[in-house]
Amino acid sequence: VLSDNVEEILNDDRISIIVEATNDTKSAYQYIKRALTLNKSVVTANKALVSAHFEELSMLAERHHVSFLYEASVGGGIPILKALKDEVILNDISSITGILNGTCNYILSNMFNNNTTYNQALNQAQELGFAEFDPHDDVSGKDTQRKLRILATLGLSTSIKEKDIILHGIEQISTLDIQHIQQLQSTCKLIGEVVKHSDHYYAVVMPCIVCNSSYFSTVNMAYNAVCIRGSHIENLTFYGAGAGASPTADAMMKDVLDVAKGGTLTKSPLKNNPLLNRNETWKDFFYLRINSNNPKLVALIKVLADQVLQQEKQLIILSKKIEYNKVRAILSKYDIKSEEYFIARIK
Amino acid sequence: VLSDNVEEILNDDRISIIVEATNDTKSAYQYIKRALTLNKSVVTANKALVSAHFEELSMLAERHHVSFLYEASVGGGIPILKALKDEVILNDISSITGILNGTCNYILSNMFNNNTTYNQALNQAQELGFAEFDPHDDVSGKDTQRKLRILATLGLSTSIKEKDIILHGIEQISTLDIQHIQQLQSTCKLIGEVVKHSDHYYAVVMPCIVCNSSYFSTVNMAYNAVCIRGSHIENLTFYGAGAGASPTADAMMKDVLDVAKGGTLTKSPLKNNPLLNRNETWKDFFYLRINSNNPKLVALIKVLADQVLQQEKQLIILSKKIEYNKVRAILSKYDIKSEEYFIARIK
């Protein structure tokens, strides 16, 4: 039975599960809201939509005793959300860390393994269908931010929105950065991470320098990986196809089967005591390249760094463990624009 | 409510889920059979028991419309069986590959990373509680064989028993082997693998030489990892704590929650057309060390090998892709005893 009329589907009492696979966030939101209100379960892969309306749609499903499932929206074919929901019941989750965007991982793998430039790697990703014509949402880290927002809210039982997550993408990475990172026996991955400490958390999407013997360095091309740490489970890591028609369809069908089997009624992910966002005090080791040789900037930055290299008109810094906010303050004081620097965490 | 009387538990109609956590395979089998017959669901971590009576207990649970769950029996805290059961419904599973024994992985990691001998590594593992007083079931590969038997039966919907799996453990690995493997920029892991081809499969537990940039080389100490390949899911890999009280308890409690939520009634894992075992034609590249310098053996083995090294009274071979059966035939012809050689696959 085929229909191109959504009303026909919504008003058919025999239909109890709706799979939303449109590419339109706005109307999909309206369809899903109505479907849940009409006591129909909904399965979607639309991460922009889930990110934008996660709490509202979850609570709506809870009120109507139906399921709202979105496994395919995070980690492609990896059954990470189902596993995370199970672990949240039994564990105190202390962190979630992941390579969540296949496009960025494809570009970075290609640059590091085949010595291509950023533009060559991006073009190739577009030709092979790993990147869209407008790759902005992927390379800016926005897509990773949406997925981390969903994982973090589920894992920490606190509403953690896109705005609560520090965001840096991979667009500014240069061949010079690659050379320096390779000299550190390391590679670079775009990583989303949320870390919980007693009553607060921090959340970041940022390129990360990971050493060549580490687990994340083995995650290549369009693959994704997610690591959950919990009080009982210790470290639990999932690796799999981050995108693609078959893995996405597989993830959606797993949701459909779960609804059909019953027993997976959606509950609001939020609990009573929300955690505080403490991004403003977040500290780490940073790699920073700035296209500037302003002597005052150099003097200031030397205080924060173990190593400062000046190469042509560029400044390359491996920082001590410092507050991210200090880095931001310096960049802003010297009016360094986003296209004039590249920043990465050193893991 | 505490009781040390199993009859009291079995005859209590208010009890609908029994968690079996004894260390006694024989009586546990009787308890579980009776519990299922009395329409009670059962959760166990006892892999020897599950391996010995998997099909029978699953079918008994199906007949009585209850659940028989054993997540903790394979991969410790990793929710691999639940995920595999989901994927089997949607995918044609083509292979399952895993590091499934924390004791062996601890010993091998220690030997490779800290240059300890096998006995030093084993003693340390025993002191730290990663190996039992009698480590035979672990180091012989028996424990991995049991776990692979469960994974393979579930994944291929065919009864694959311990006897259907080629078995070599890690007991014979020597410092000389380590040196040679390190020269190949590689490390060694005990890996269980089942691979399906149209109407047949092969299944092996054997030390594997994996290169230092591969995923499995990053799985260290008592950790486990399992990789499932399926028609839609492509490659899905899980990594986590392979043993330990907390991860095991977490896995058992996930089973209890699944029973409590309903919707996880056990079905027989077997389907109509059983696959054929074709271990006898299985081919691979092998690393083989034999404590012999019998000239006839050397001549014979040179035909099978790209590289033959004679060092002191030992013969070290990196084979071409050859039938495992040929290696066995040669070892048997020259009456090479199990303590006189070490064999590994080259991945």
Side-chain angles (χ1 to χ4, degrees), chain B residues 193 202 204 206 208 281-287 304 319-324 327 344-347:
Chain B
E193 182 167 67
Y202 70 79
V204 185
M206 201 185 273
C208 276
T281 60
W282 172 55
K283 280 183 174 185
D284 209 341
F285 299 89
F286 298 100
Y287 168 98
L304 305 178
S319 87
K320 300 175 190 170
K321 190 161 191 177
I322 53 170
E323 273 184 16
Y324 167 74
V327 180
R345 307 167 62 181
I346 306 171
K347 270 270 185 185

Short mmCIF file of all heavy atoms in Angstrom, two decimals, chain B residues 193 202 204 206 208 281-287 304 319-324 327 344-347:
data_model
loop_
_atom_site.label_atom_id
_atom_site.label_comp_id
_atom_site.label_asym_id
_atom_site.label_seq_id
_atom_site.Cartn_x
_atom_site.Cartn_y
_atom_site.Cartn_z
N GLU B 193 37.04 -17.35 16.00
CA GLU B 193 36.39 -16.83 14.78
C GLU B 193 35.54 -17.90 14.13
O GLU B 193 35.95 -19.05 14.00
CB GLU B 193 37.45 -16.35 13.78
CG GLU B 193 36.85 -15.76 12.51
CD GLU B 193 37.87 -15.01 11.67
OE1 GLU B 193 38.79 -15.66 11.13
OE2 GLU B 193 37.75 -13.79 11.55
N TYR B 202 33.50 -22.36 8.80
CA TYR B 202 34.59 -22.93 9.59
C TYR B 202 34.68 -22.16 10.90
O TYR B 202 34.24 -21.01 10.98
CB TYR B 202 35.92 -22.94 8.83
CG TYR B 202 36.54 -21.59 8.61
CD1 TYR B 202 37.25 -20.95 9.64
CD2 TYR B 202 36.45 -20.95 7.39
CE1 TYR B 202 37.82 -19.71 9.45
CE2 TYR B 202 37.01 -19.70 7.19
CZ TYR B 202 37.69 -19.08 8.23
OH TYR B 202 38.24 -17.85 8.05
N VAL B 204 37.33 -21.52 14.42
CA VAL B 204 38.68 -21.71 14.92
C VAL B 204 38.93 -20.87 16.17
O VAL B 204 38.53 -19.70 16.22
CB VAL B 204 39.73 -21.24 13.87
CG1 VAL B 204 41.14 -21.54 14.34
CG2 VAL B 204 39.47 -21.85 12.51
N MET B 206 42.45 -19.81 17.91
CA MET B 206 43.89 -19.95 17.71
C MET B 206 44.57 -18.62 17.99
O MET B 206 43.98 -17.56 17.75
CB MET B 206 44.14 -20.37 16.25
CG MET B 206 45.49 -21.02 16.01
SD MET B 206 45.80 -21.38 14.25
CE MET B 206 45.05 -22.97 14.07
N CYS B 208 46.52 -15.44 17.14
CA CYS B 208 46.58 -14.73 15.85
C CYS B 208 47.65 -13.65 15.93
O CYS B 208 47.73 -12.92 16.92
CB CYS B 208 45.26 -14.02 15.57
SG CYS B 208 44.05 -15.07 14.83
N THR B 281 38.76 -28.14 5.25
CA THR B 281 39.33 -27.47 4.07
C THR B 281 39.78 -26.04 4.39
O THR B 281 40.12 -25.28 3.49
CB THR B 281 38.31 -27.41 2.91
OG1 THR B 281 37.17 -26.67 3.36
CG2 THR B 281 37.89 -28.78 2.46
N TRP B 282 39.78 -25.68 5.66
CA TRP B 282 40.13 -24.31 6.05
C TRP B 282 41.60 -23.99 5.75
O TRP B 282 42.49 -24.74 6.10
CB TRP B 282 39.84 -24.08 7.53
CG TRP B 282 40.34 -22.77 8.01
CD1 TRP B 282 40.04 -21.53 7.50
CD2 TRP B 282 41.24 -22.54 9.09
NE1 TRP B 282 40.70 -20.56 8.20
CE2 TRP B 282 41.44 -21.15 9.18
CE3 TRP B 282 41.90 -23.38 10.00
CZ2 TRP B 282 42.28 -20.58 10.14
CZ3 TRP B 282 42.72 -22.81 10.96
CH2 TRP B 282 42.91 -21.42 11.01
N LYS B 283 41.81 -22.85 5.07
CA LYS B 283 43.15 -22.40 4.70
C LYS B 283 43.49 -21.08 5.37
O LYS B 283 42.63 -20.22 5.54
CB LYS B 283 43.19 -22.14 3.19
CG LYS B 283 43.35 -23.35 2.33
CD LYS B 283 43.44 -22.92 0.87
CE LYS B 283 43.77 -24.09 -0.03
NZ LYS B 283 43.97 -23.65 -1.42
N ASP B 284 44.77 -20.90 5.70
CA ASP B 284 45.21 -19.60 6.20
C ASP B 284 46.73 -19.52 6.09
O ASP B 284 47.38 -20.48 5.69
CB ASP B 284 44.76 -19.38 7.66
CG ASP B 284 44.54 -17.91 7.98
OD1 ASP B 284 45.07 -17.04 7.24
OD2 ASP B 284 43.84 -17.62 8.97
N PHE B 285 47.29 -18.36 6.43
CA PHE B 285 48.73 -18.20 6.59
C PHE B 285 49.07 -18.54 8.04
O PHE B 285 48.37 -18.07 8.94
CB PHE B 285 49.15 -16.76 6.30
CG PHE B 285 48.84 -16.31 4.89
CD1 PHE B 285 47.61 -15.74 4.58
CD2 PHE B 285 49.78 -16.47 3.89
CE1 PHE B 285 47.31 -15.33 3.29
CE2 PHE B 285 49.50 -16.06 2.59
CZ PHE B 285 48.26 -15.49 2.29
N PHE B 286 50.10 -19.33 8.25
CA PHE B 286 50.43 -19.71 9.62
C PHE B 286 51.87 -19.35 10.00
O PHE B 286 52.77 -19.37 9.16
CB PHE B 286 50.25 -21.23 9.81
CG PHE B 286 48.84 -21.67 9.61
CD1 PHE B 286 48.44 -22.26 8.42
CD2 PHE B 286 47.89 -21.48 10.60
CE1 PHE B 286 47.13 -22.67 8.22
CE2 PHE B 286 46.58 -21.88 10.41
CZ PHE B 286 46.20 -22.46 9.21
N TYR B 287 52.03 -19.00 11.27
CA TYR B 287 53.35 -18.92 11.92
C TYR B 287 53.47 -20.22 12.70
O TYR B 287 52.55 -20.58 13.46
CB TYR B 287 53.40 -17.73 12.87
CG TYR B 287 54.59 -17.72 13.80
CD1 TYR B 287 55.73 -16.97 13.51
CD2 TYR B 287 54.59 -18.46 14.99
CE1 TYR B 287 56.83 -16.96 14.36
CE2 TYR B 287 55.68 -18.47 15.84
CZ TYR B 287 56.80 -17.72 15.52
OH TYR B 287 57.89 -17.71 16.35
N LEU B 304 55.85 -25.73 2.00
CA LEU B 304 54.67 -25.00 2.45
C LEU B 304 54.95 -23.55 2.84
O LEU B 304 54.02 -22.79 3.08
CB LEU B 304 54.06 -25.69 3.68
CG LEU B 304 53.71 -27.17 3.56
CD1 LEU B 304 53.18 -27.66 4.90
CD2 LEU B 304 52.68 -27.37 2.46
N SER B 319 54.16 -19.55 6.81
CA SER B 319 53.66 -20.38 5.70
C SER B 319 53.01 -19.55 4.61
O SER B 319 52.64 -18.41 4.80
CB SER B 319 52.64 -21.40 6.22
OG SER B 319 51.35 -20.83 6.25
N LYS B 320 52.88 -20.17 3.43
CA LYS B 320 51.98 -19.66 2.39
C LYS B 320 50.56 -19.89 2.88
O LYS B 320 50.33 -20.47 3.93
CB LYS B 320 52.20 -20.45 1.09
CG LYS B 320 53.60 -20.38 0.56
CD LYS B 320 53.77 -21.28 -0.65
CE LYS B 320 55.25 -21.36 -1.00
NZ LYS B 320 55.54 -22.40 -2.00
N LYS B 321 49.57 -19.51 2.08
CA LYS B 321 48.18 -19.83 2.44
C LYS B 321 47.97 -21.31 2.17
O LYS B 321 47.98 -21.75 1.02
CB LYS B 321 47.21 -18.99 1.63
CG LYS B 321 45.78 -19.12 2.13
CD LYS B 321 44.86 -18.01 1.68
CE LYS B 321 43.54 -18.09 2.45
NZ LYS B 321 42.64 -16.99 2.10
N ILE B 322 47.84 -22.07 3.25
CA ILE B 322 47.75 -23.53 3.09
C ILE B 322 46.63 -24.09 3.96
O ILE B 322 46.13 -23.43 4.88
CB ILE B 322 49.07 -24.23 3.52
CG1 ILE B 322 49.47 -23.77 4.94
CG2 ILE B 322 50.17 -23.97 2.52
CD1 ILE B 322 50.60 -24.58 5.53
N GLU B 323 46.25 -25.30 3.65
CA GLU B 323 45.23 -25.96 4.46
C GLU B 323 45.80 -26.30 5.83
O GLU B 323 46.89 -26.84 5.95
CB GLU B 323 44.75 -27.24 3.76
CG GLU B 323 43.63 -26.97 2.80
CD GLU B 323 43.08 -28.24 2.17
OE1 GLU B 323 43.35 -29.34 2.68
OE2 GLU B 323 42.37 -28.11 1.15
N TYR B 324 45.00 -25.96 6.85
CA TYR B 324 45.37 -26.29 8.22
C TYR B 324 45.61 -27.79 8.36
O TYR B 324 46.52 -28.23 9.06
CB TYR B 324 44.25 -25.82 9.15
CG TYR B 324 44.33 -26.35 10.54
CD1 TYR B 324 45.29 -25.86 11.43
CD2 TYR B 324 43.46 -27.34 10.99
CE1 TYR B 324 45.36 -26.35 12.73
CE2 TYR B 324 43.53 -27.83 12.28
CZ TYR B 324 44.48 -27.33 13.14
OH TYR B 324 44.55 -27.82 14.41
N VAL B 327 49.14 -28.90 7.75
CA VAL B 327 50.02 -28.66 8.89
C VAL B 327 49.84 -29.78 9.92
O VAL B 327 50.81 -30.37 10.41
CB VAL B 327 49.73 -27.29 9.54
CG1 VAL B 327 50.64 -27.04 10.73
CG2 VAL B 327 49.86 -26.17 8.51
N ALA B 344 50.26 -20.17 15.18
CA ALA B 344 49.41 -18.98 15.19
C ALA B 344 49.00 -18.66 13.76
O ALA B 344 49.72 -18.97 12.82
CB ALA B 344 50.15 -17.80 15.81
N ARG B 345 47.83 -18.05 13.60
CA ARG B 345 47.42 -17.55 12.30
C ARG B 345 48.07 -16.19 12.08
O ARG B 345 48.33 -15.46 13.02
CB ARG B 345 45.91 -17.33 12.24
CG ARG B 345 45.10 -18.52 12.63
CD ARG B 345 43.64 -18.15 12.85
NE ARG B 345 43.06 -17.63 11.62
CZ ARG B 345 41.79 -17.21 11.53
NH1 ARG B 345 41.01 -17.22 12.59
NH2 ARG B 345 41.32 -16.78 10.38
N ILE B 346 48.28 -15.84 10.82
CA ILE B 346 48.76 -14.50 10.51
C ILE B 346 47.61 -13.75 9.87
O ILE B 346 47.16 -14.10 8.78
CB ILE B 346 49.99 -14.54 9.59
CG1 ILE B 346 51.06 -15.44 10.22
CG2 ILE B 346 50.52 -13.13 9.34
CD1 ILE B 346 52.22 -15.73 9.30
N LYS B 347 47.09 -12.74 10.59
CA LYS B 347 45.90 -12.01 10.13
C LYS B 347 46.29 -10.85 9.23
O LYS B 347 47.23 -10.14 9.51
CB LYS B 347 45.14 -11.44 11.34
CG LYS B 347 44.12 -12.38 11.89
CD LYS B 347 42.78 -12.15 11.21
CE LYS B 347 41.69 -13.01 11.84
NZ LYS B 347 40.41 -12.90 11.14
#
